Amino acid sequence: MDTVEIMTREKSSYAVQTVEKALDILEALTEEGRPATLPYLAERLSLSRNKAFRLLATLESKGLVERDEASGIYRLGISSVELAQRLLNSTSIIKHAHPVMERLARKHDEAVYITVLKGDEILFVDMVDCEQVVKTAPLVGKRFPFFTNAAGKAIKALESADFLDKLSPKRHRNLGIPDPAALQTELRATRERGFAVDFGGLGDGIVTVAVAVRDYAGKVVGALTMLGPSFRMITSRLENEIIPSLMEGAEILSMKFGYAKH
């Protein structure tokens, strides 16, 4: 291996690391918590302040990051928002799901989401809101542990019938699962009936209902999820109206991905 090739590889590796750090900065700016000042971001990402400043300046020049001159706090720029919206609009699950979500939201006047699994967390990727005076805060872009909501349970229940049994007690603790045995029982019931309902996992008085969506190979690609306050999401309404509608919507959406029941 000659010197030129070594230098080329080292340069390529450095470029990749720089891109990774830039992406880490953008991800850090999406999180809620401490104000994203230069010292905080440098410490958070294990960077020197000089390197963090150069990366932020580059992102700022592209409109991906904005800095408040008075406070020195960095935020995502308008270009980041526009890019995220274009990516969402170009994603097939969003394109296919949105019309189905609109119909469900109009029919029941409750917030409807399409959700996907990212590791052990559920990500709320798109939403059609309701017209109700009392409603929950929008969750688009938010992540939650899968066991705290119906979407996570609906997806995990179909991914594997016994995946919790395969996890070590230490893994259960790391995930924060309060009662693995009870969750396993709930997942088995969800698998049998084809839908999941969760009461209070995302907050007091919040009910989530979800049905998984599959693709042509039978793989779960996400879940149609409805969310609302418990005083509206009463049992009779769930059983007679919402669950049948969500199951029908999920079946229509699954068919758009080529899934066919056997």
Side-chain angles (χ1 to χ4, degrees):
M1 186 181 299
D2 58 31
T3 304
V4 173
E5 185 176 354
I6 292 174
M7 291 177 65
T8 301
R9 288 193 176 187
E10 288 178 347
K11 185 177 181 180
S12 176
S13 176
Y14 175 78
V16 170
Q17 291 173 8
T18 300
V19 172
E20 287 178 346
K21 288 299 183 182
L23 293 174
D24 287 343
I25 286 176
L26 293 176
E27 184 173 357
L29 292 177
T30 68
E31 299 172 356
E32 296 180 359
R34 286 174 55 185
T37 59
L38 175 60
Y40 168 73
L41 291 170
E43 180 183 359
R44 167 86 163 69
L45 302 173
S46 300
L47 294 170
S48 68
R49 291 195 183 186
N50 186 45
K51 187 172 184 179
F53 176 78
R54 293 200 307 269
L55 287 170
L56 285 163
T58 300
L59 294 170
E60 191 174 0
S61 71
K62 298 295 183 181
L64 297 171
V65 164
E66 295 175 354
R67 179 179 180 273
D68 183 85
E69 293 295 334
S71 65
I73 294 174
Y74 288 89
R75 301 181 181 85
L76 289 178
I78 189 65
S79 293
S80 289
V81 177
E82 291 173 347
L83 178 60
Q85 191 60 51
R86 287 199 297 270
L87 288 172
L88 284 175
N89 290 339
S90 65
T91 303
S92 60
I93 192 168
I94 301 293
K95 282 185 174 181
H96 290 312
H98 203 81
V100 176
M101 294 161 58
E102 286 182 331
R103 287 196 293 272
L104 288 168
R106 284 198 300 267
K107 181 177 180 180
H108 299 288
D109 200 16
E110 299 291 353
V112 181
Y113 292 84
I114 188 70
T115 52
V116 297
L117 189 69
K118 294 293 183 183
D120 291 311
E121 294 182 316
I122 282 294
L123 173 63
F124 286 69
V125 296
D126 192 25
M127 169 198 190
V128 177
D129 207 353
C130 63
E131 299 295 331
Q132 299 278 5
V133 175
V134 178
K135 54 187 176 182
T136 59
L139 299 179
V140 173
K142 303 289 187 181
R143 297 180 185 229
F144 300 92
F146 78 89
F147 53 87
T148 64
N149 57 87
K153 294 171 184 176
I155 294 174
K156 283 290 191 181
L158 294 181
E159 274 198 337
S160 173
D162 60 350
F163 89 97
L164 277 178
D165 292 335
K166 298 175 183 177
L167 298 181
S168 66
K170 181 179 179 181
R171 182 67 172 145
H172 288 156
R173 290 194 297 272
N174 289 341
L175 288 174
I177 300 173
D179 190 340
L183 179 60
Q184 184 69 290
T185 299
E186 187 176 0
L187 292 179
R188 290 193 180 116
T190 296
R191 188 182 183 92
E192 291 174 3
R193 65 194 183 190
F195 63 88
V197 181
D198 179 86
F199 299 90
L202 293 183
D204 291 340
I206 297 177
V207 178
T208 54
V209 189
V211 182
V213 176
R214 300 176 186 252
D215 65 9
Y216 64 93
K219 180 182 177 182
V220 177
V221 295
L224 270 179
T225 306
M226 188 174 290
L227 186 151
S230 57
F231 67 84
R232 288 202 304 264
M233 307 286 271
I234 58 176
T235 301
S236 59
R237 186 176 180 227
L238 292 176
E239 293 178 349
N240 299 324
E241 301 174 28
I242 291 174
I243 290 171
S245 285
L246 276 179
M247 294 188 75
E248 180 184 13
E251 184 176 353
I252 292 171
L253 188 50
S254 295
M255 290 173 63
K256 289 179 181 290
F257 284 100
Y259 177 72
K261 288 184 176 180
H262 298 291

